[in-house]
């Protein structure tokens, strides 16, 4: 029961924090200190809850019967929920540390409200993953969407409000579909409890319908293509520590939902149709990963670029999850565990490095007051710690060994390889194609992050603000450092982390765990298939580095070791700041080679803006029809009242003698009636 | 599992390749001079170049930073680490956890990351464009590499480079046609990666592959030149280890290793001679037409995949 009590403690602390933020409304200094303090405590308790839930063998269940039979309040902490709670807590911990300094940017613009919505957002996310009842799940899912909506529109400018509206539409469209899926299952089970859903599985064609509804509904939340359109607009609009939470954690709840419905609720009893579900996830994953990164490359706005990368990484996670489903459908427990474990590992990794990158972007925006990369440049000199953390995040998201992003992508490749080796013909065809898509994604991601880091932090400053920039405040650097260390640790300590992920995956699927590490070596269930050792790669990289560094040192010592500075070569002209590489120019070859994909984006975006415009038209129409009722019903009544009032004015001449006469007349009339 | 003797073998072959790399690039230069009917430099010219550069002064642009300074060391280190994992003298991978096809591809990405980043960091427009083009080539080549190796790996049932090589050497692959086509498409990808004409000219300093090198000088330039020679050698060794493992030692015996060394040297010389002939008989392709060429590689790799699926 330790995990549950820790979770409840964390939830109560967060609720307390939310109320505190509201009560202290005008004392912003106190809100920063109090809000962050309570938030950090809540996050630590949540982290404890998550980790103990992963460690515990049995799921912990809290059953508080509510007043209504359909709204049974049940919290269930199984290892999967534990992982999600741990991820949410880790990111919120960092967001609170970072926010302590960062919210000064928002001084005088409702820091209290921001603290309230942050707390509400975190509490609702934790409750969504822990809820074991469809009714409460939906309630908390809505709460999460609303709280994050208010964070998106926090800036109150046109862009933020527009982005918020689009987000609102997509989020609610998604929840309607999820609701429909839950109603289908509840109809069969006779209750909204997930336990009942598991006990009374849906019959054959209906389960696919329910899965499809849930897949699209949760997919909209996760931001997979073509339902991603809100993501590159909404995430950049929110304050950076909220973006880190949204991009790092909230979209993962979408993936969590797909795993919950597809594997936990429907998977155990699903028939051969499940192969189709897995392939569907694989297809959406492959398309989302490639298109996400292609679109990211064309962005100049650092937060938009990062948001598109979230689309890419959701795709990679879906590749793992899809392979896991294929494994379940084919009754190959090793493949199922391998695939799901790769997806979950990448989910954790992406939360860490995307959180880090968003915070890094926030720090640079905090100092340069622009989101445009072209206005930054050369920040590594003045903001060395931010630059270093951002570089770690950039290397990790580009899946560079031995960092964490590489480990989970390696497992994804191995899962796809295993699927291609022993699958049905369709799987044998699809899995290698997905692997090639992943390779293309990896190469594009490297390009994108060389561009992002290079244009922002390397070279010469591109604007006055960039030149004057100072290192971010200590609290912000500390927040980034925690995540940078986590990136390195999750990579180098993969032989310890991978088996834990494997246990979570096995517990979710309900099979025996798979051997994923022996000593310091990682393996995908079978050492014959492949091996990997991130600690060994790190050791070899460090050991081999002595050779070139030593060589240079020896010769530099011989020469006296001085370096001379010389202006860059500019074909004989005077070097000019505008000559150096630009964000647009750097990605230009890809824009040229992948031009059709960018045209396609316009088409998809057009469709969505069409829907948004449709809503606007509805609103205008409503505005136009509203006075109709006024004119035909209310106006005549009001007119009649007016007219009768005017008519009555005749008897009000204003002379008190006449009023006395009225009273006398009334008295006489009453007396006459009485007699 | 990794034993101590395997680790020593891996380190030994990496250092051996490092020592021999300038010889290989010297050979390329000699072949080109002969084909141009020039007198040309001697075989050892690249050693002399590196030695001279090491004693020169290091000049850096005023706005460059950490990325620019660390790149030569990062690049040489990464390629050395890759060299420990590629089967060269032996059939198996000396350091098995590195000799995995996915790990090798992504380790090359580490070198590429810093190589291109240094281009932006130097502040020179020319270097920046070089970096961008280097990465674009990576985007075009990596999927071809992965698919062709993936097909070979599926035929062998393992993604370990040594296991693939052994399966090919022993004839344990189910589809000979698929293997041959996969080998051809991988060879094509490797050729682009070498940075030779018609896609690039590694020796011409105004060209793409050495774009980011524009601002380097002295010991840093020496290290990069060395690293690039090593990279070319490692990339060819990668191809040889997977698709032409014939003659390498199946077991770790002294005689086997010596024989493997001789066989490896012969294969390397033959391939570089052939590459020399190809690169000197074609003209430079415009950069924007490169994707049309790389589609051929994608097509060939896909063909290998189809042959694998059909099981021919």
């Amino acid at each position: 029961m330790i995990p549950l009590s820790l979770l409840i403690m964390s939830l109560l602390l967060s609720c307390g924090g939310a109320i505190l933020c509201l009560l202290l409304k005008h004392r912003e200094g106190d809100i920063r200190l109090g809000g962050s303090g309570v938030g950090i405590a809540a996050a630590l308790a949540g982290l404890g809850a998550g980790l103990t839930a992963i460690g515990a063998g049995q799921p912990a269940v809290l059953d508080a019967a509510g007043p209504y039979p359909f709204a049974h309040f049940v919290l269930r902490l199984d290892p999967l929920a534990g992982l999600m709670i741990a991820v949410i807590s880790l990111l919120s911990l960092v967001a609170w540390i970072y926010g302590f300094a960062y919210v000064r940017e928002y001084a005088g613009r409702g820091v209290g409200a921001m603290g309230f919505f942050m707390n509400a957002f975190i509490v609702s996310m934790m409750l969504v993953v822990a809820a074991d009842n469809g009714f409460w799940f939906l309630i908390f899912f809505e709460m999460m969407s609303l709280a994050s909506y208010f964070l998106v529109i926090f800036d109150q400018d046109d862009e933020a409000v527009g982005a918020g509206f689009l987000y609102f539409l997509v989020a609610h469209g998604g929840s309607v579909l999820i609701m429909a899926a839950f109603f289908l299952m509840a109809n069969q089970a006779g209750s909204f409890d997930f336990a009942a859903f598991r006990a009374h599985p849906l019959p054959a064609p209906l389960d696919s319908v329910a899965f499809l509804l849930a897949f699209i509904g949760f997919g909209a939340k996760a931001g997979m293509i073509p339902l991603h359109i809100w993501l590159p607009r909404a995430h950049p609009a929110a304050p950076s520590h909220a973006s880190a939470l949204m991009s790092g954690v909230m979209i993962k709840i979408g993936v969590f939902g797909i795993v919950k419905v597809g594997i936990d609720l429907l998977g155990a009893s699903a028939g051969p149709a499940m192969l189709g579900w897995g392939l569907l996830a694989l297809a959406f994953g492959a398309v989302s990963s490639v298109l996400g990164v292609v679109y990211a490359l064309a962005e100049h706005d650092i937060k938009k670029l990062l948001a598109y990368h979230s689309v890419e990484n959701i795709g990679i996670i879906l590749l793992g999850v899809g392979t896991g489903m294929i494994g379940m459908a084919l009754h190959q427990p090793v493949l199922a565990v391998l695939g799901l474990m790769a997806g979950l590992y990448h989910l954790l990794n992406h939360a860490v490095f995307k959180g880090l990158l968003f915070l890094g972007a926030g720090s640079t925006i905090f100092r340069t007051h622009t989101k445009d990369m072209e206005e930054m440049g050369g920040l590594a000199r003045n903001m060395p710690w931010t630059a270093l953390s951002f570089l770690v995040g950039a290397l990790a998201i580009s899946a560079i060994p031995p960092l964490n992003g590489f480990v989970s992508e390696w497992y994804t490749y191995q899962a796809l390889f295993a699927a291609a080796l022993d699958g049905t013909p369709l799987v044998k065809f699809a899995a290698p194609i997905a692997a090639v898509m992943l390779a293309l994604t990896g190469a594009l991601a490297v390009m994108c992050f060389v561009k992002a880091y290079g244009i922002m932090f390397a070279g010469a400053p591109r604007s006055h603000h960039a030149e004057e920039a100072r290192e971010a405040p200590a609290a912000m650097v500390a927040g980034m450092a925690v995540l940078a260390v986590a990136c390195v640790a999750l990579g180098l300590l993969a032989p310890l982390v991978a088996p834990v992920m494997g246990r979570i995956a096995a517990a979710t699927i309900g099979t025996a765990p798979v051997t994923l590490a022996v000593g310091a070596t990682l393996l995908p269930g079978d050492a014959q298939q492949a091996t990997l050792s991130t600690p060994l790669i790190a050791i070899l990289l460090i050991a081999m580095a002595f050779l070139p560094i030593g060589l240079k040192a020896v010769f530099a010592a011989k020469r006296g070791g001085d370096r001379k500075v010389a202006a860059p070569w500019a074909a004989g002209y005077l070097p000019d700041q505008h000559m150096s590489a630009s964000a647009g120019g750097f990605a230009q070859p890809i824009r040229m080679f992948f031009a059709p994909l960018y045209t396609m984006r316009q088409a998809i975006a057009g469709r969505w803006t069409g829907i948004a415009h449709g809503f606007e038209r509805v609103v205008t129409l409503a505005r136009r029809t509203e006075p109709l009722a006024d004119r035909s019903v209310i106006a005549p009544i009001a007119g009649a009242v007016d007219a009768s009032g005017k008519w009555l004015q005749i008897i009000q001449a204003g002379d008190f003698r006449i009023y006395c006469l009225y009273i006398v007349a009334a008295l006489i009339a009453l007396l006459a009636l009485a007699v | 599992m990794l034993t101590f003797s395997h680790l020593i073998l891996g380190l030994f072959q990496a250092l051996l390749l490092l020592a021999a790399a300038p010889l290989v690039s010297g050979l390329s230069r000699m072949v080109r001079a002969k084909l141009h009917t020039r007198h040309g430099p001697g075989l050892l010219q690249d050693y002399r170049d590196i030695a001279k550069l090491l004693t020169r002064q290091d000049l850096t642009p005023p706005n460059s930073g950490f990325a620019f300074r660390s790149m030569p060391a990062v690049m040489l280190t990464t390629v050395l680490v890759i060299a420990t994992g590629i089967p060269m003298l032996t059939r198996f991978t000396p350091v098995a956890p590195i000799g995995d096809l996915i790990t090798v591809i992504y380790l090359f990405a580490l070198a590429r990351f810093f190589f291109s980043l240094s281009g932006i960091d130097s502040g020179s427009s020319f270097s920046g464009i070089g970096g961008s083009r280097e990465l674009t080539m990576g985007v075009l080549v990596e999927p071809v590499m992965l698919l062709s190796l993936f097909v070979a790996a599926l035929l062998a049932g393992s993604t370990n480079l040594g296991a693939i090589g052994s399966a090919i050497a022993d004839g344990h692959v189910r589809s000979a046609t698929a293997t041959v086509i996969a080998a051809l498409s991988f060879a094509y990808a490797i050729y682009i990666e070498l940075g030779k004409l018609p896609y690039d000219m590694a020796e011409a300093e105004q060209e793409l592959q050495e774009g980011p090198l524009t601002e380097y000088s002295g010991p840093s330039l020496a290290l990069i030149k060395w690293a690039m020679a090593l990279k070319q050698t490692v990339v060819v060794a990668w191809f040889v280890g997977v698709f032409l493992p014939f003659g390498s030692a199946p077991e770790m015996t002294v005689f086997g290793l010596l024989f493997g060394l001789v066989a490896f040297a012969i294969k390397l010389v033959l391939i570089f001679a052939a590459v020399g002939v190809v690169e000197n008989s074609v003209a430079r392709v415009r950069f924007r037409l490169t994707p049309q060429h790389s589609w051929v590689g994608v097509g060939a790799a896909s063909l290998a995949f189809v042959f694998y699926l059909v099981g021919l």
Side-chain angles (χ1 to χ4, degrees), chain A residues 448-639:
Chain A
C448 195
F449 277 95
V450 168
K451 169 182 142 174
Y453 180 86
I455 302 292
M456 287 166 73
F457 291 100
R462 289 157 203 274
S463 71
H464 178 67
H465 278 307
E467 211 170 337
E468 305 276 289
R470 284 174 297 128
E471 181 57 276
M476 287 162 76
V477 172
M480 289 185 281
V482 170
L483 289 179
V485 169
C487 275
V488 176
L490 285 171
L492 293 189
L493 301 181
L496 300 177
V497 182
V500 176
M501 291 293 152
R503 270 211 306 281
I504 297 171
T508 308
I509 297 171
T511 56
V514 172
T515 318
L516 293 166
V518 175
T521 308
L522 300 167
L523 43 105
D526 173 14
Q528 290 299 314
Q529 186 182 318
T531 51
L532 171 71
S533 175
T534 42
L536 181 71
I537 294 178
I539 290 169
L540 277 177
L541 279 174
I542 293 168
M544 292 288 196
F546 279 106
L547 193 76
I549 292 171
L551 256 178
K552 257 176 101 167
V554 166
F555 282 94
K558 265 190 191 163
R559 284 201 47 85
D562 58 328
R563 269 174 188 274
K564 278 278 184 321
V565 167
W569 179 72
Y573 294 92
L574 265 182
D576 184 86
Q577 181 41 43
H578 298 97
M579 286 180 181
S580 58
S582 67
F586 199 76
Q588 190 265 346
I590 295 295
R591 289 189 70 123
M592 184 168 73
F593 296 157
F594 289 84
L597 296 182
Y598 290 101
T599 322
M600 198 174 82
R601 173 170 63 167
Q602 306 276 304
I604 296 177
R607 206 41 60 76
W608 276 102
T609 27
I611 293 174
H613 277 297
F615 270 91
E616 269 165 31
R617 239 172 279 140
V618 169
V619 172
T620 341
L621 200 69
R623 229 181 267 146
R624 225 179 289 145
T625 47
E626 200 188 355
L628 267 184
D630 264 10
R631 249 173 297 167
S632 55
V633 184
I634 298 170
I637 295 174

Side-chain angles (χ1 to χ4, degrees), chain A residues 294-317:
Chain A
V294 166
Y295 296 154
L297 252 172
E299 288 302 333
H300 292 204
D301 176 333
I302 177 62
K303 287 180 88 175
K304 269 197 177 154
L305 182 144
L306 292 176
Y308 269 120
H309 268 284
S310 296
V311 175
E312 172 222 325
N313 279 283
I314 285 294
I316 297 175
I317 297 169

